[in-house]
Amino acid sequence: MSEVRLEHVSRTYDRVTAVDDVSLTVAEGQFLTLLGPSGCGKTTTLRMIAGFLQPTAGTIYIKGEDVTRVSANRRDTGMVFQTYALFPHMSVAANVAFGLKMRGIRGEAAAVRVRDALRVVQLESMADRLPRQLSGGQQQRVALARAVVIRPQVLLMDEPLGSLDLKLRQELQIQIRSVQQELGITAIYVTHDQGEALSMSDRVAVMRNGRVEQLDQPDRLYSRPVNAFVANFVGRTNLLAVEVIEVFAAQSSCKVRSTDAPDLAFSVAIADADRAWRPGDRCLLGFRPENGVLGSTAENRIGARVRDVRYFGATRSVALTNALGGSLDIDVPSGNPIPARGESTEISWRPNGCFLLPREDS
Amino acid sequence: MLTILNRAVIALVFAFLLLPLIFVVVSSFGASPMLAFPPTSFTFDWYRNIPAAFLSGLKVSLIVALWTALIAAIVGTCAALALSRGRFRGIRVVGVFCLAPLMVPSLVLAVALYQFTGVLWDWTGLELGGTVMGVVLGHTAVAIPYVVRAVMAGHAHFDRTLEEAALNLGANWRQTLIYVTLPVLVPGIMSGAVFAFLVSFDDLPIALFMGGDASSTTMPVKIYTSIEYSLKPDIMAISALVIYGSLALMVLLERTLGLEKFFGSGRA
């Protein structure tokens, strides 16, 4: 049974639609991330699940029960806010105990649970401090303990690491994920950081303009984006405008050619058959920078001129201008030789290292 | 050069503020029955012989100021919350109205209150005219704006997600108000209450009009009526006592809460 289910949920503010007909389910114990640029409706969606906002249409279920009209304090969700929202006048322990107190759990029973929760986030020794005496990362861990100590049906996190620096963010990503797994708690996480979404989630919903563009496992999201927006928002993608010439063996692969230079043809292996391509379809061919190689070793080739090289430790990122005047990015392992800036070369990639996407305007 | 000038200006300002107080304290120890400065000989007599009427006035003043601070804090906090959060027609008019007593000369206000409450007592049958509570009522009217302003200033920095967090953890709106909102606003409420206390303690005209017999005569009224007849060092003695009290209170506040926080913006 799914823990959280949204059915055709919409929210409009004075004629502006923030969330537009969103339907999704989160299975018990699953970690779902709502990913998207600011203004895509991800936070609005989360706030509707928490009960801080009413949907203008649609139904929200938690544990199979319709909670659309249930007020926030009776929904049994645990929320972690970007600004921590710790009660400044209460000690760490009192903050964590607050939800228990509201549920009538006091005294020794509450103290044990507060201690356990603080141990899970490794802040037992800070129990008597005030929030302002803690660092940002510590405060957010207290907020996490406060949210999970009440054993909510679902843990909601609204960009919880948004105001922390990179290194701390990575540490806390691991900690949040391990706390979620240890407790087996259903979680919905909001972020605009695609790396965070890919590394933490069981499934990711990519949102744009109030709609879910794609809801998938992180690896499928990355290797099989459904459109150019997802392809560009999750990782980087090289895109070429192409037209389908031929489709082989029940949609297993096809041949396409560039719409700008008809003599440039490429082969594409089609992994999933949820879209049937037909000859004459105009679409986009995409491949990831790490799937392209310098030289003509793979089947699909295009001429290019090196524009810029940037060093990233393990890899170098090579920016090129292709034969059609468009831009290409290739990641090359740092040991490999790289042509000098301005030099002409060839880029190649394999048919199963690329994908077809519909044109945005079609 | 600039720093020397700066210091000179600061010293002058301090002198201007503090010299009258020092004058009062020094005069209160002068042995002469007439006010003379500097005093020629030293005595504690004036302290020993502070007229009982002054001391009872001081007691009335303290009682009135405490009640005023309490009532103004409660009413003012409610008003400030409504003005900070409410969305109703004419909210700005109400806001200006709440702060209006700050702009009206208190003598004008006193006359108005005197007339208005006369009618009010007639209508309601409450006979508060000339009682301690009558004076408190008048003072509360002028004290509320101070609380409203202090609490609104504190509220401007209030993070509303704290209330969402409380709600999310299962608190209803009443529990949220009691456990989260009010405690976070306490510094603003307290500084507003202290101002309310001071406004009441300081006031002459309203107490003059609203007060009655000795049981509701505040110290400023007592001093005012007595200096109409004579200006003796016993007035200096009771005044000096008030100065000592204020000084002690300031030291206490500084030690416990920090004065800056108190008289600053009412922020935590």
Side-chain angles (χ1 to χ4, degrees), chain B residues 132-144:
Chain B
V132 164
M133 274 307 162
V135 181
V136 168
L137 196 76
H139 281 178
T140 304
V142 260
I144 283 174

Side-chain angles (χ1 to χ4, degrees), chain A residues 47 50 52 72-73 77-79 81 83 85-90 95 98-99 101-103 106 146-147 150, chain B residues 159-173 175-176 178-184 261 268:
Chain A
R47 291 172 62 78
F52 298 143
N73 58 327
T77 65
M79 181 106 170
F81 299 85
T83 53
L86 295 178
F87 307 127
H89 58 293
M90 296 184 197
N95 263 282
F98 189 84
K101 188 164 139 191
M102 293 303 116
R103 284 164 173 71
R106 287 156 200 269
R146 183 177 70 173
I150 56 174
Chain B
D159 177 8
R160 295 294 294 270
T161 50
L162 291 180
E163 291 179 342
E164 289 184 347
L167 211 61
N168 176 258
L169 291 166
N172 57 35
W173 71 267
Q175 289 166 320
T176 303
I178 291 167
Y179 293 120
V180 176
T181 312
L182 289 179
V184 173
K261 198 160 91 184

Side-chain angles (χ1 to χ4, degrees), chain A residues 142-165:
Chain A
V142 174
L144 180 64
R146 183 177 70 173
V148 298
V149 75
I150 56 174
R151 294 171 197 153
Q153 303 284 0
V154 51
L155 176 63
L156 306 173
M157 291 168 275
D158 186 9
E159 307 226 17
L161 309 180
S163 37
L164 301 174
D165 61 51

Side-chain angles (χ1 to χ4, degrees), chain A residues 223-242:
Chain A
S223 60
R224 296 285 153 188
V226 298
N227 58 32
F229 172 77
V230 175
N232 280 319
F233 197 79
V234 181
R236 295 167 299 147
T237 312
N238 297 306
L239 292 175
L240 296 168
V242 294

Side-chain angles (χ1 to χ4, degrees), chain A residues 28 205 260 263:
Chain A
E28 184 158 357
D260 301 313
D263 51 327

Side-chain angles (χ1 to χ4, degrees), chain A residues 78-195:
Chain A
M79 181 106 170
V80 179
F81 299 85
Q82 181 176 0
T83 53
Y84 320 138
L86 295 178
F87 307 127
H89 58 293
M90 296 184 197
S91 70
V92 165
N95 263 282
V96 177
F98 189 84
L100 298 173
K101 188 164 139 191
M102 293 303 116
R103 284 164 173 71
I105 302 163
R106 287 156 200 269
E108 190 53 28
V112 168
R113 280 174 66 174
V114 168
R115 242 188 337 267
D116 284 349
L118 285 176
R119 185 173 41 72
V120 169
V121 297
Q122 293 154 28
L123 283 175
E124 277 171 299
S125 58
M126 304 285 178
D128 298 325
R129 302 259 184 110
L130 284 174
R132 65 168 167 271
Q133 296 171 303
L134 305 183
S135 70
Q138 288 171 330
Q139 289 191 40
Q140 198 55 296
R141 277 147 65 197
V142 174
L144 180 64
R146 183 177 70 173
V148 298
V149 75
I150 56 174
R151 294 171 197 153
Q153 303 284 0
V154 51
L155 176 63
L156 306 173
M157 291 168 275
D158 186 9
E159 307 226 17
L161 309 180
S163 37
L164 301 174
D165 61 51
L166 182 65
K167 190 144 181 82
L168 200 55
R169 212 152 68 208
Q170 287 168 343
E171 273 172 44
L172 278 178
Q173 284 169 11
I174 295 167
Q175 189 162 23
I176 288 175
R177 179 64 169 156
S178 78
V179 167
Q180 184 261 337
Q181 302 241 288
E182 192 177 322
L183 302 175
I185 199 166
T186 309
I188 302 178
Y189 191 97
V190 162
T191 185
H192 62 265
D193 178 337
Q194 48 107 4

